[in-house]
Amino acid sequence: MLIKVNNLVKNFVNDEIVTKVLNGLTFNIGDGEFVAIMGPSGSGKSTLMHILGLLDRASAGKFYLEDKDVTELDDNKLADLRNQKIGFVFQSFNLLPRTTVLENVLLPLTYAKRRADPAARAKEVLESVGLGHRLHYYTNQISGGEKQRVAIARALVNNPTVIFADEPTGNLDSKSGAQIMEILQELNNQGHTIVLVTHETYTSEHAKRIIKIMDGLITDDYAVAQRRIAKDGVMLK
C-alpha cells in the first residue's frame, strides 16, 4: 500500500487555545490511484494534504508512506523523502519570480543531485506538458495555464511516487482548468498516483475515487463510476 493513515489527528495551538482540525482519519491509498479529497473551506482537506506531503506533522496517529512510518522521521529525513517521493502542484503556482521556465523545473533536481544531465530531464518533462517552446521564457511572460503546466513539470521532474495537487485550477479560467485536469488524468493513465484536493465537483469528476471530509472527519469514501457523455448528451458507461 502506498499510503496508510491510521487515526490521524491535527491540532493547532495558539495562546493555549486548541483548534482541532483533523479528528482521527483512517484510510489507505494504493499505488496508481487518482483520489480527490473534497470538502468545504475549513474542513481540513488542505491540512491533510500538507501532512501527507510531508510539509507538516500530525499531532497524533500514524502515517506510512510505502510502509515507512514517516511520523518517526526527523526533519532532514522528511525533507529528503519529500524531494525523492513527492511532487506538488499548488493553486498559486509557487514559481520562482525573475527566473525562466527551465530554471524553475531544474530546482528539484538541484536539491536531489542525482542526475548526470538535469537539463535534459527538465526539458523532457516540459515537452511532455507542451511547453518545449517556452524553456527560456520568464515566468512573468507566460499565461496562468502555462504557469500551472510549469508547476506540473516541476512536480514530475524527480519522477515522484505521488503527486499532490491542491486546488490546481483555482486561479485559472475554465478552459485552462480543463486542460490542467486533462494533463493530470493522462498522468494517472500513465501510472502516476494523483491526490487532488478540491472543493469543485467538476474537478473531482476526473478522479477515480473521492474522499469527502467535513469538520476533520471522513464523511464518505467511494469509487467514481467511469462514465462519459456522448455528443448527443446521453450518459454512457
Side-chain angles (χ1 to χ4, degrees), residues 41-132:
S41 178
S43 62
K45 61 185 186 298
S46 289
T47 297
L48 175 59
M49 193 211 73
H50 288 165
I51 293 173
L52 297 181
L54 309 180
L55 295 170
D56 199 0
R57 291 180 180 270
S59 302
K62 289 291 185 178
F63 165 33
Y64 299 87
L65 180 62
E66 293 184 324
D67 295 324
K68 182 187 292 290
D69 183 358
V70 300
T71 57
E72 302 295 330
L73 300 180
D74 62 29
D75 289 345
N76 289 332
K77 289 181 179 178
L78 282 178
D80 288 341
L81 193 62
R82 185 168 59 243
N83 182 259
Q84 295 166 14
K85 300 290 185 179
I86 294 171
F88 294 100
V89 181
F90 295 103
Q91 177 178 346
S92 56
F93 316 131
N94 287 5
L95 301 181
L96 295 175
R98 298 182 297 278
T99 54
T100 66
V101 165
L102 181 61
E103 288 168 337
N104 270 273
V105 177
L106 275 169
L107 187 62
L109 294 175
T110 302
Y111 290 133
K113 299 178 181 178
R114 293 198 311 267
R115 292 187 178 272
D117 192 350
R121 172 58 181 168
K123 291 176 183 177
E124 177 187 359
V125 293
L126 281 165
E127 288 170 357
S128 75
V129 297
L131 289 178

Side-chain angles (χ1 to χ4, degrees), residues 10-29:
K10 180 63 178 180
N11 300 325
F12 291 102
V13 181
N14 185 15
D15 294 331
E16 300 183 354
I17 299 174
V18 178
T19 302
K20 297 181 178 181
V21 180
L22 301 179
N23 295 304
L25 306 184
T26 298
F27 61 90
N28 298 332
I29 295 176

Side-chain angles (χ1 to χ4, degrees), residues 116-147:
D117 192 350
R121 172 58 181 168
K123 291 176 183 177
E124 177 187 359
V125 293
L126 281 165
E127 288 170 357
S128 75
V129 297
L131 289 178
H133 62 303
R134 293 282 196 256
L135 300 180
H136 303 294
Y137 280 61
Y138 286 92
T139 55
N140 64 352
Q141 296 176 311
I142 59 178
S143 68
E146 288 174 328
K147 288 178 181 177

Side-chain angles (χ1 to χ4, degrees), residues 191-207:
H192 292 276
T193 304
I194 310 289
V195 178
L196 168 72
V197 172
T198 184
H199 67 277
E200 299 168 332
T201 300
Y202 82 91
T203 302
S204 70
E205 289 173 349
H206 289 266

